[in-house]
Amino acid sequence: MTHLPPPAEELRLLDTELRQLDARRALLLARRAWLITALRPPVAPLPPPPPVRRPETTAPRVQNVLLVLGGALLTIAAIAFTLVSWGRMGIAGRALVLGAVTLAALGSPVLLLRHRLRSTAEAVAGLGLALTVLDVYALHEVALPDTNGLGYAAIASALLAALWTAYGLALGGTRRPTGEAAAPARLTLRLPLPTALAAAQLPLILWAAAADAGAPVMTGALLVTAALDTAVALRVPVRSVCLVAAVGAYGLGGWGSFAAGWLSWTATGPSAVARAAALLLFAAAIALAAAWRLPDTNVATWVASAGGLLTVAALGGVPRSSLPGEWTVPGYLVCAVAVLAAVRTRLPEPMRRGLALAAASVQAVAAVWALPPVAVALLGPVARVGRIWSGAPSTAREAVTPVGVPWPPYTATAPLVLVVVATVLAVAVRGTEWRPRATIGASALVWAAALVLPAALDIPYWAGMSAQGLTIVAALAYVARSAEPRPVLILLALVSSVSLACLSLAAEGTTLGVLAALTVLFAAVSGRSRLAPVAALTYATALACAVGASLGWQSPYIALLVLLVPVVAALLAARLAGSPARVPIEVTGAVAGLLAVGLAVPDQPLLALVLALCAVIAAGTAVREDRRPAGYAATALFVLAAWVRLACWGVGSVEAYTLPVTVPALLVGAFGRRKDPLTSSWTAYGAGLSVTLVPSLLTAWIDPDWPRPLLLGVAALAVTLVGARHRLRAPLVLGGGVLALDALHELAPYLVQMAGALPRWVPPALAGLVLLALGATYEQRIRDARRVREVLGRMR
């Protein structure tokens, strides 16, 4: 008879055959593609193009290198002649040689330019300019050896600058006359004019050095030279001259400005301060004049910003020498505010942006200067946590300053600086885009000023506490009356409240009063922000701990007071359905519950009570439809409470700990299957049955007595029968497995005895018989196993 497999088995066989056919088809297609590629004639590769040898440099570069090298060699030769062979010739010979060579070098470019040999003319002109320097040196060595070297160099550099300028202008380009359009343009020399400007940088500086002038005169020389460079850079259209002038203006101007600023900072008398201020104002005038004429708006903005900073440094340095050190930064800040007023004038837009940038920079530096005392006033009270109720300090500065940390010097005016910067932010920034950010910054600065003011003025401790409390009240009152949410004010008030709470730890009564007031204040504005109720609950938790400690209670009894906070949080969350503050409130309540559990750990009976109360709170939360998962937490807490209570009673039976978990788990599983009949039995009953059966089985295997294995076997048999009756997989498998293992544990001693009594050949013989029997009925056993699997598969 032909054997026909079941439909499911036949479908599996057909799917296997189809997969094999698909794999074979893919293999044949891949082989066909390879054969097609192999039969195509090979394509001969194209020969690579022959390499083209390119020159490594260009002809103009070679020409320039040769000309520069030739001019350098001639200059070196002239120097060697002047230094070595000068003494071997008479005065007439000397003058004749140098004069002839110099005139030849300076006159040759005229002929070279007519023949349009411009590069050669530039090289020969450079040699001529170098020879003029040697002429000046030779004149000093022969005719004026006793004169001051620096003074002679100053005069010589001025004369050389004038001579080179005249020479460059004489050989400069001329415009073609009208009607001679066909005539070629006359070539010009580029080297003399920038060289003359470079030489013009030295006369004033060398003159100041020769006169042994002081630092103010030297600084003035630098700035005057920078001013001349600025004028040349703005008016002369020649690019090379502008480049040299710009380098001189920036270099000498920066050097002179730094020197003038150092003089202003180190000045001690009124005359020294006035001189330094005049130098700084002169430098500022140069920068502002340059910014007025610069065509590039970005460069003009930065140059105007430098001018604004120099103006602030000049004006702010005048009162610094006559006022105490605390007023140095406020003096500069007032000058910056005055410079900011120029933004409202009719100056060009780049200058206004630059002045505004300068004023903003000074204000930013002033605000940063005021940050150290703010940080001390904000973070210093945290050190009180380690010295709770150790006694109230005498002053507010002593209260916020940790032991060993000094108060920052010269910071008495820090609150004033912060208020001024905040006022400028609130008044000056009027744009629609930056206005909200400026408002936030101004609020933060005013808050910082209020925070640091008591310590800066060093008022009494109680006055400082009151001032900080009034700041919090004012911020929260503004939040309560405002039509829009103010998260920044809430955050600042919260930070201030943390600092105030830490300050209040100095005395017992102060701690209780401050924590109670903070709880009430934040609870009053709990509807305006999600942070407010969290802060109120947090301070309520701290108040409960403080009240318990004030009453002299131990920490386990304080935990009962702390549990009031989770109760309030659960009730409040139930009324705030859909509010964004709901989840933060619940999290805060949960954290307070964990704190209560931690406080109750030393006393196990009270710990069981606290766990049970937490379970009641969680169960009450789980009553709400959207908080059903809290029931798992309630169950876990009830189980933990029961376990702790059993441990207190000295109960050692494992079933006493597992059955309180199994029974609720099975009830929850039965309820879940009633609501959703498609729920698997493993999901509904697997966890609950495993919690008791598995630990009891492990305990029974090491228990030498018979009652536990007997009771476990009875319970496992009952679970197995229930699973078979209702066709449930989880009870059937778990109960049957535990029953089999429990029976094996009970029969193990007898099996060992029987194995010892039988001959050694009996076990192998029995194993062989079993294998033969299995082999003889292999097909029938497979069919039976498949049927068992199908039966278990139909169970839920």
Side-chain angles (χ1 to χ4, degrees), residues 356-439:
L357 181 61
S361 301
V362 175
Q363 294 177 56
V365 172
V368 171
W369 170 81
L371 287 182
V374 175
V376 173
L378 183 62
L379 302 178
V382 179
R384 291 280 171 186
V385 176
R387 298 180 287 116
I388 298 177
W389 297 349
S390 59
S394 57
T395 63
R397 182 176 298 180
E398 182 183 352
V400 301
T401 306
V403 178
V405 178
W407 181 256
Y410 304 111
T411 55
T413 55
L416 176 62
V417 169
L418 294 172
V419 170
V420 171
V421 177
T423 304
V424 172
L425 273 178
V427 174
V429 181
R430 299 181 181 274
T432 57
E433 180 181 357
W434 291 93
R435 183 65 179 177
R437 303 176 187 177
T439 303

Side-chain angles (χ1 to χ4, degrees), residues 737-756:
V738 172
L739 180 61
L741 293 175
D742 185 63
L744 179 62
H745 172 264
E746 293 301 311
L747 295 176
Y750 303 102
L751 294 176
V752 172
Q753 292 178 4
M754 185 177 65

Side-chain angles (χ1 to χ4, degrees), residues 586-597:
E586 292 176 339
V587 172
T588 307
V591 172
L594 290 177
L595 176 62
V597 172

Side-chain angles (χ1 to χ4, degrees), residues 607-656:
L607 176 61
L609 176 60
V610 170
L611 288 171
L613 292 176
C614 291
V616 172
I617 298 172
T621 302
V623 171
R624 303 200 304 268
E625 185 67 27
D626 57 340
R627 289 294 183 266
R628 296 300 187 194
Y632 298 107
T635 303
L637 290 171
F638 275 124
V639 170
L640 289 175
W643 286 358
V644 172
R645 177 55 63 183
L646 291 173
C648 295
W649 290 340
V651 177
S653 178
V654 67
E655 289 77 12

